Amino acid sequence: MGTKMSEAYYTEENKVIKINYANKAMNGSLKCKTEKCRVPVIFVDAHKKKYADKTVVVNAYFRLESSEKNSHDIDCKYNTKGQVKVIARESDDSIIKAIEEGKYNFRLNIIDEALRALNSSKKDEIENEETSYALKRPSKVYVNKGKLNSYFSTMQRIMELRSLTETNDELRELIELQYDKQKIKWSKFYFESDDLSRCYTYIKRNDVTHPMCIEGALKGIVPPNENFKFHVLKLRSPWVEPDGSGVINLPTVELIINNNKVLEYIQSNASLGNVAVYSKFRINESKIYVKQVQNGMEKFRYLNIKGNLYHPKQILLY
């Protein structure tokens, strides 16, 4: 098990190199930079990813040569299992705790309670929204401020660890997600940008009450206006082919920023480009719009996925 790395040990030159110095020709001569570990790793070149409005470059990285045959030393910082153990050890055991050797239980209902506590503590109401967009006002929930910070810190660390793994597979083997008495699959909790259509369908078809994580690319922040007084964070929509009727059903992700510290964090780290957020999400579907494009006319239907950001540690830019 192992995470993505930005440095590796190059045996041909007997030194640790950074990713921007590496190339594919070095594969076979690369090892983990941790001296105690030195498991074989390989260089994965940068590649382009197409979004609905832009093509972006996904940065190069090092990873294990074979995750099936090799693993980092348990004390290496690139060992996924070891990092989960550290997160669990340093977190409140009411949110994440060991349930058997090498496996942990993560209670999503604690995150749900923390989000509801922040929501109910806000004095400013969201105004002038269409009914489908408005928040359902919860009954008040009281959670100690120190506990809130601890819970959100743990969630952010798990998001960061997931962003460094290539799929849900590794964390699925290590962390069991639980919401009250229900077990939640990682595929129903953490969605990458290419999975946003599936995310929308999952929310639409199910009475989803648990928090979810969405990973994607930062598009920008829409400033307040006379009709809506909050900043809104937008993620880039994935590239989607037209359906059988010629309609492009385009998932969009927007998050209302309910805390100035969240806004400051985003603005100061916007150059990083990649983003992961967790929230309780709601959806609505737009009418069909016809737009003039370079090659003619296209029909769009927007599948809106919307959430709220109350705390800086609900979001990770990387």
Side-chain angles (χ1 to χ4, degrees), residues 156-181:
Q156 188 184 55
R157 291 176 73 182
I158 289 176
M159 280 200 306
E160 183 175 16
L161 186 59
R162 171 58 186 85
S163 73
L164 292 172
T165 62
E166 294 185 282
T167 67
N168 284 325
D169 293 347
E170 288 194 30
L171 291 184
R172 182 179 60 203
E173 294 180 17
L174 300 169
I175 300 177
E176 175 186 278
L177 302 170
Q178 181 178 339
Y179 186 73
D180 290 331
K181 296 181 179 181

Side-chain angles (χ1 to χ4, degrees), residues 133-151:
Y133 191 77
L135 283 172
K136 292 181 180 179
R137 201 68 174 171
S139 56
K140 280 191 175 292
V141 177
Y142 297 94
V143 182
N144 178 278
K145 185 176 180 181
K147 291 280 188 181
L148 280 175
N149 289 332
S150 173
Y151 298 154

Side-chain angles (χ1 to χ4, degrees), residues 253-294:
V253 178
E254 295 183 354
L255 294 113
I256 299 171
I257 300 173
N258 296 90
N259 183 318
N260 285 334
K261 289 184 179 179
V262 176
L263 180 63
E264 291 168 5
Y265 169 75
I266 298 169
Q267 290 175 332
S268 61
N269 293 280
S271 61
L272 295 174
N274 298 308
V275 60
V277 295
Y278 68 91
S279 179
K280 296 187 73 172
F281 293 98
R282 54 201 179 275
I283 62 167
N284 64 59
E285 181 180 300
S286 77
K287 65 181 183 179
I288 294 176
Y289 294 91
V290 179
K291 285 189 174 182
Q292 177 73 45
V293 295
Q294 187 174 2

Side-chain angles (χ1 to χ4, degrees), residues 115-121 135-141 310:
L115 289 172
R116 290 195 293 131
L118 286 179
N119 181 12
S120 62
S121 70
L135 283 172
K136 292 181 180 179
R137 201 68 174 171
S139 56
K140 280 191 175 292
V141 177
Y310 302 105

Side-chain angles (χ1 to χ4, degrees), residues 196-215:
L196 290 182
S197 294
R198 183 173 63 84
C199 177
Y200 182 90
T201 301
Y202 171 58
I203 297 173
K204 182 177 181 179
R205 292 181 178 175
N206 301 273
D207 184 17
V208 178
T209 55
H210 63 81
M212 298 158 62
C213 292
I214 291 178
E215 173 191 311

